Amino acid sequence: MLCGTLIATSVALAHDIRAKPNAKVPPAFDITSASASTDGRLATFTMEVTGTAGAQKPKKVGKLAGAKVDAYVWPTKLDPAAVGFAGGSGILALAITAHPDFDDTPLFDENGDGDPNNDGAGWHSHWVVLGEDAACAGGLKVRDISPGQDVLPATAPGLPLALDSPGMSPILKGKSVRITVPVKGAENVNFDAVAAHLQVHEKGEKPLLCVTGTYKVASGKLTLPGVIVKSEKK
């Protein structure tokens, strides 16, 4: 019995991602581990950092153009169609973001003040589709799209980006970042964990939202070595 438990534990850990602490990385983004699991209907993504999760946010610039974004991101090998985007359109990633200069969750009032249009500064969730773009300093962008023409999830905020605002609340507590989202077909799918910074184009042109760099990539080189495992029954 003990042997079986040890084997099961080692297999589960093999599907996680582990990273050594790095003193050169801001503690709030210094990822040390990441994991993901699913019960077939809901998937839970987690990452651990050396510092206090969510303690660092981008500074306000006062306008949308040039606005900065900080993000905890789980890139996956899920097809974007799994959550309502066009199939095969890029890298589907789950992101927890904060950006004080704009709100992109018009259906939700995250801070509970009665105004759903002023919540960008708080940590909130998105599904995004990433694509390569040499014009971006980080080599990736949130894909530019045409609302009304491109296939988008029902809760997409209407921006010209492959971005959905599903309204699932992230939990940032202590060293942990965690979120649970509805998505089918996630078992055995690969993933990675990244702490990144992005920026809106300073002239509002394409590429509109670039990944400008990463604080840390859990796998080191974005190889997506993690595996979403089946949740253990309680």
Side-chain angles (χ1 to χ4, degrees):
M1 184 68 175
L2 177 59
C3 180
T5 300
L6 290 173
I7 291 173
T9 301
S10 64
V11 170
L13 290 175
H15 292 157
D16 293 352
I17 306 172
R18 304 286 173 174
K20 294 181 179 180
N22 186 342
K24 295 181 180 180
V25 175
F29 299 120
D30 186 13
I31 304 168
T32 56
S33 68
S35 61
S37 62
T38 180
D39 63 4
R41 184 177 70 90
L42 300 174
T44 297
F45 293 81
T46 304
M47 66 175 81
E48 299 281 332
V49 296
T50 59
T52 301
Q56 180 174 321
K57 295 180 181 179
K59 293 182 179 180
K60 190 171 184 176
V61 300
K63 56 183 179 179
L64 175 60
K68 299 181 184 300
V69 179
D70 277 341
Y72 297 97
V73 187
W74 292 268
T76 77
K77 287 190 177 181
L78 278 166
D79 190 284
V83 296
F85 294 103
S89 55
I91 302 168
L92 181 65
L94 180 61
I96 295 174
T97 69
H99 38 77
D101 288 293
F102 64 99
D103 184 287
D104 52 8
T105 57
L107 299 177
F108 307 99
D109 179 19
E110 287 96 332
N111 61 15
D113 69 347
D115 183 356
N117 297 309
N118 65 352
D119 308 310
W123 294 101
H124 56 280
S125 64
H126 294 293
W127 284 110
V128 297
V129 181
L130 302 174
E132 295 183 358
D133 196 317
C136 295
L140 292 170
K141 67 178 179 181
V142 177
R143 286 191 61 251
D144 300 287
I145 56 95
S146 298
Q149 298 181 31
D150 289 274
V151 177
L152 293 172
T155 47
L159 297 171
L161 294 167
L163 178 147
D164 184 30
S165 301
M168 306 306 162
S169 298
I171 298 173
L172 293 86
K173 185 176 182 180
K175 299 178 183 295
S176 176
V177 184
R178 178 166 58 90
I179 185 167
T180 298
V181 293
V183 59
K184 294 182 178 180
E187 187 177 349
N188 294 323
V189 171
N190 291 86
F191 74 95
D192 212 323
V194 180
H197 43 91
L198 302 87
Q199 185 172 354
V200 177
H201 195 287
E202 292 185 348
K203 295 183 179 180
E205 300 173 355
K206 296 179 181 180
L208 183 59
L209 184 56
C210 275
V211 176
T212 49
T214 59
Y215 294 107
K216 190 171 184 178
V217 179
S219 67
K221 295 185 178 180
L222 202 61
T223 53
L224 279 70
V227 178
I228 302 173
V229 299
K230 186 176 182 179
S231 303
E232 293 184 6
K233 293 183 179 180
K234 296 182 179 180

